[in-house]
Amino acid sequence: MEEITIEELKQLSSNAYVLVDIRDEEKVMKNPIDGSIVLCEKDAEEYAYDFDKKIIIVCDRGKLSIPCVLALRERGYEAYSLHGGYVSIVMDKMKENHSKEFAHKVERSIIKTYRKPIWSKFTKAVRDYELIQEGDRIAVCISGGKDSMLMAKCFQELHRYSDIHFDVRFVVMDPGYSSENRQIIEDNAKKLNIPIEIFETDIFENVFHIEKNPCYICARMRRGYLYNYAKNIGCNKIALGHHYDDVIETILMSMLYGAQIQTMMPKLHSNHFAGMEVIRPLYLIHEDDIKAWAKFNNLYFIQCACKFTDTCSSEACLTRPRSKRVEVKNLIREMKKTNPYVEQNIFKSVENVSLKTVIAYKDDQEKHHFLDDYDTKK
């Protein structure tokens, strides 16, 4: 038998096996598995393991790990695929801590333990960027990942104690999740005492067969559905869980891959839904601090639940190019080795633009070039 279940794995001594995570690099970064070795599939098949230990291979859902297991068995290792993959680990964690005391502990950790890196930065973004005004009705959009779940808990705390009067609705759009991922979202919401409301769409089905830029199209469709649903329930804003790392990565990606300088704004008026805005209250919070908060509370969330990554085992999927965002994450990590302030400097660069030293820039009306009035400034 090439598989081992999560229950069988829990019966083994931690010294009896090696856990090998072969998920996509971006997923590993967002949701690491404690105690695991992280390798790509090819390296996992060629790695020199201890022959005295069982080798447990973990992929997204227990499918892509099977060929790796077979290759390792040919080399003489006792190798197994974790049945259900990473999803089975999360599903197992869902069985723990369903009490009011647990939800209260999580809430206090935001205010106490992580007050400086999370709560203070959340309230600073809300204040400095004027994200919330009196009378706002905000649809807090929950994807099921760690970022949006933390955002929901922060909104609950802010709604409870803020002098500004505003309403919140905790909205989950199901674009076609698997039953397991849908269950994880619902269980986490229940565990964290977040009163979610779910509406369904068929976005994954509509973009599944699109070959060019399916992720971009999917993201645009998601945003449109969220705006429309929020407006129909009387909200004037949607809140998204983008964080500080997303901002600085977007700045670099726009330069390196888009040949332009632009950033992810803390708030933005919708071009297609009159009177609607998107706000990003995690704008100043670092992803590492969100990971630390989740680990401190023993919380596990879904990773990218896209139908492509959920079901694809074809050669095209296995050989797809590395995410541009992963490349930029790694670039920033390397630069931090010699300049610990590189993230801060990237973030500040779009606050300190000197138009006198820019060749050209665009506004909503036209493009401006430095030669337009160069001779008049002699």
Side-chain angles (χ1 to χ4, degrees):
M1 190 68 179
E2 295 91 5
E3 292 184 312
I4 186 171
T5 67
I6 189 70
E7 291 300 328
E8 291 170 333
L9 181 63
K10 289 163 68 176
Q11 300 304 314
L12 299 177
S13 165
S14 59
N15 295 323
Y17 65 89
V18 177
L19 202 63
V20 183
D21 188 349
I22 63 168
R23 292 176 298 150
D24 178 86
E25 188 175 2
E26 188 168 7
K27 295 177 183 177
V28 172
M29 288 180 175
K30 289 183 176 295
N31 297 289
I33 301 172
D34 288 343
S36 65
I37 298 173
V38 179
L39 298 169
C40 69
E41 186 175 357
K42 183 176 184 298
D43 290 344
E45 293 177 2
E46 299 175 354
Y47 192 83
Y49 303 97
D50 185 342
F51 275 98
D52 294 329
K53 294 186 177 182
K54 295 178 174 63
I55 315 301
I56 314 299
I57 307 297
V58 183
C59 64
D60 291 323
R61 298 177 57 81
K63 298 178 181 179
L64 301 182
S65 50
I66 296 294
C68 183
V69 166
L70 295 177
L72 288 173
R73 289 193 172 193
E74 288 183 2
R75 294 176 58 201
Y77 290 106
E78 186 180 356
Y80 300 90
S81 166
L82 180 62
H83 180 74
Y86 174 79
V87 171
S88 70
I89 295 176
V90 181
M91 293 289 285
D92 182 64
K93 293 295 180 182
M94 292 297 97
K95 302 173 185 177
E96 304 172 3
N97 301 319
H98 279 273
S99 67
K100 291 182 179 179
E101 290 75 18
F102 176 76
H104 180 70
K105 170 182 172 290
V106 172
E107 291 163 1
R108 299 319 297 164
S109 73
I110 295 172
I111 301 297
K112 298 287 187 180
T113 310
Y114 292 93
R115 185 177 190 86
K116 185 176 180 180
I118 291 180
W119 180 247
S120 293
K121 290 184 177 180
F122 175 83
T123 55
K124 178 177 173 60
V126 169
R127 182 177 61 253
D128 289 1
Y129 299 123
E130 300 178 357
L131 301 184
I132 301 175
Q133 279 81 39
E134 188 78 20
D136 276 345
R137 292 179 59 85
I138 303 169
V140 178
C141 302
I142 299 173
S143 66
K146 64 186 188 310
D147 309 326
S148 60
M149 285 292 190
L150 171 63
M151 178 177 66
K153 294 306 297 180
C154 286
F155 263 107
Q156 284 183 317
E157 292 298 303
L158 188 66
H159 187 256
R160 190 175 293 136
Y161 300 114
S162 176
D163 292 332
I164 300 175
H165 295 89
F166 66 96
D167 291 326
V168 286
R169 300 278 290 268
F170 299 98
V171 175
V172 176
M173 181 192 65
D174 183 345
Y177 291 136
S178 66
S179 58
E180 293 89 351
N181 279 324
R182 170 82 172 245
Q183 190 64 51
I184 289 170
I185 295 173
E186 292 178 357
D187 285 353
N188 264 327
K190 183 177 180 181
K191 176 191 290 190
L192 294 173
N193 195 27
I194 302 171
I196 60 173
E197 52 190 276
I198 302 176
F199 73 99
E200 298 179 353
T201 71
D202 55 0
I203 292 176
F204 284 172
E205 194 64 38
N206 286 333
V207 303
F208 187 64
H209 300 291
I210 296 176
E211 295 185 3
K212 188 174 182 180
N213 298 326
C215 295
Y216 172 77
I217 295 171
C218 180
R220 290 292 298 271
M221 290 180 69
R222 285 185 183 213
R223 185 76 58 85
Y225 273 104
L226 286 169
Y227 269 131
N228 188 62
Y229 184 84
K231 191 167 186 176
N232 287 339
I233 61 174
C235 293
N236 63 310
K237 292 179 179 178
I238 64 171
L240 303 181
H242 297 116
H243 48 64
Y244 185 89
D245 299 63
D246 292 323
V247 177
I248 62 174
E249 289 159 14
T250 298
I251 295 170
L252 279 190
M253 288 171 67
S254 70
M255 295 173 64
L256 300 178
Y257 304 112
Q260 58 185 331
I261 298 176
Q262 64 178 29
T263 189
M264 179 182 286
M265 299 296 287
K267 65 179 181 179
L268 203 63
H269 290 290
S270 171
N271 291 327
H272 304 291
F273 293 85
M276 295 292 294
E277 287 183 75
V278 60
I279 61 173
R280 297 183 170 99
L282 302 189
Y283 201 78
L284 301 177
I285 299 176
H286 291 254
E287 185 176 26
D288 283 346
D289 293 320
I290 302 176
K291 290 179 182 177
W293 167 79
K295 184 175 182 180
F296 177 83
N297 290 294
N298 198 29
L299 292 167
Y300 288 76
F301 302 101
I302 66 169
Q303 50 195 0
C304 173
C306 167
K307 187 172 181 178
F308 286 95
T309 57
D310 230 15
T311 61
C312 188
S313 58
S314 69
E315 182 68 19
C317 290
L318 297 175
T319 58
R320 66 184 182 275
R322 172 190 281 186
S323 159
K324 296 290 189 293
R325 192 167 290 276
V326 169
E327 291 181 2
V328 170
K329 278 181 181 287
N330 290 330
L331 175 62
I332 293 172
R333 183 185 296 114
E334 286 300 310
M335 290 191 292
K336 282 179 67 176
K337 292 178 180 179
T338 55
N339 179 6
Y341 303 106
V342 68
E343 291 172 307
Q344 178 182 326
N345 291 344
I346 294 171
F347 187 89
K348 288 292 185 182
S349 69
V350 292
E351 294 183 354
N352 297 305
V353 178
S354 173
L355 293 182
K356 291 183 179 180
T357 62
V358 172
I359 299 295
Y361 67 93
K362 296 184 292 183
D363 57 27
D364 291 338
Q365 283 74 44
E366 58 184 325
K367 182 175 181 179
H368 304 270
H369 197 279
F370 87 104
L371 288 178
D372 291 346
D373 58 358
Y374 178 78
D375 289 332
T376 66
K377 296 180 179 180
K378 291 182 180 178

